[in-house]
Every structure is written in C-alpha cells, then in structure tokens.
Amino acid sequence: MAVVVLAAPSIPVLLAGLWWAGCAVPLVFIDAQVHRLPDVLTMLAAAGVFALLTVDAVVTDRWDRLFGAAVCAAATTTVFVSMGLVLGSRGMGLGDAKLILSVTALLGWWGWGAAFGAVFLGFLGAGLVGVVLLASGRVRRGAHVAMGPFFVAGALVMLALMA
C-alpha cells in the first residue's frame, strides 16, 4: 500500500490505487489457492479505478490521462480476452483478462510504458517461478500457473518505480 501512496500525484489517483490494492489483495490469495479470479472483485476493482480516475480528470482537467488509461486498458484487455478465447485452457483465463483491465487502467494513467511494464513484469515473474518449479520437480510441463499474483506484483513494482 505504501507504493500506492508514494506514486500517487493527487488524492483521486491515490484513492484509485488504494481501491485497486484493496481488491487485489484478496484476488492474489484466491487465485493462488483455487486458480480463479472472481468477477465480483475484478469488476469492482476496474469500476472503482475508472470512477476515481474520472474524478481526477474532472478535478485536475487531465482528460488526456484518463483517455490514455482507458485506451490502454481496452487494448490490453482485448488482447487478453482474444488469447483466452483462441487458446482456450492452454492460454490466459478470462479472469486474468478482467484483472488486467484494472491493472492497465490504473497504470495507464501514467502512460503505456507503465502499464506494459507491469504486464511484462508479471509474465517475467511467472516465467521465472515456473522455471524454478520445473527444475525442482515440483510441477510437470503443462502445469497451470496462477497469473493473478504475478500481475498484481508487477503492478506494485511499477508503482514503486514511479514513486
């Protein structure tokens, strides 16, 4: 939570980050345990982030940042949903796509680079953990990795880098 506080340039963006973090914490534990990201929490996270970023745009007249965050979130989510639909169980789950909506909306406020960085760090972290698990024999090839915790971690790292 401290990284959200340090990275936020305004109260509405701070509240958006805290709202997202408040939804993301239970999502991490749920996804790690049952490999599911409940719609209630993923959609609540996205709705809160968009609402609070809209408040920021109204108060600070930074409509360009809100527009950039919305386009970034829409484009990234479209890619993730497409991967989930095309690849089925071999690809990303639709819960991951819904989580990415809030992650890239929040970080898209700082720009495409921040949002891309969070997603990249999520994939990098999952890949490294996957390699370690494979090398140690704890999982077999083709095992599913819960991506939610890694996307949340990637977002928190990017927020820390921007603080």
Side-chain angles (χ1 to χ4, degrees), residues 63-91:
W63 294 98
D64 58 327
R65 290 199 177 219
L66 177 63
F67 180 74
V71 171
C72 180
T76 309
T77 302
T78 299
V79 168
F80 273 66
V81 168
S82 299
M83 285 189 330
L85 294 175
V86 170
L87 297 175
S89 64
R90 296 173 302 163

Side-chain angles (χ1 to χ4, degrees), residues 32-147:
Q33 189 170 25
V34 297
H35 289 241
R36 298 274 185 257
L37 291 165
D39 289 347
V40 170
L41 288 173
T42 56
M43 293 292 98
L44 197 59
V49 166
F50 276 113
L52 289 161
L53 292 181
T54 301
V55 169
D56 182 70
V58 168
V59 171
T60 64
D61 200 33
R62 289 189 226 164
W63 294 98
D64 58 327
R65 290 199 177 219
L66 177 63
F67 180 74
V71 171
C72 180
T76 309
T77 302
T78 299
V79 168
F80 273 66
V81 168
S82 299
M83 285 189 330
L85 294 175
V86 170
L87 297 175
S89 64
R90 296 173 302 163
M92 302 298 297
L94 293 180
D96 295 317
K98 294 171 199 163
L99 175 61
I100 284 298
L101 176 65
S102 63
V103 168
T104 55
L106 179 63
L107 289 165
W109 190 88
W110 280 274
W112 283 78
F116 174 78
V119 174
F120 174 77
L121 288 171
F123 278 122
L124 180 65
L128 292 173
V129 167
V131 166
V132 169
L133 291 174
L134 280 170
S136 67
R138 296 193 64 197
V139 297
R140 297 178 142 220
R141 189 181 155 151
H144 291 277
V145 174
M147 291 298 296

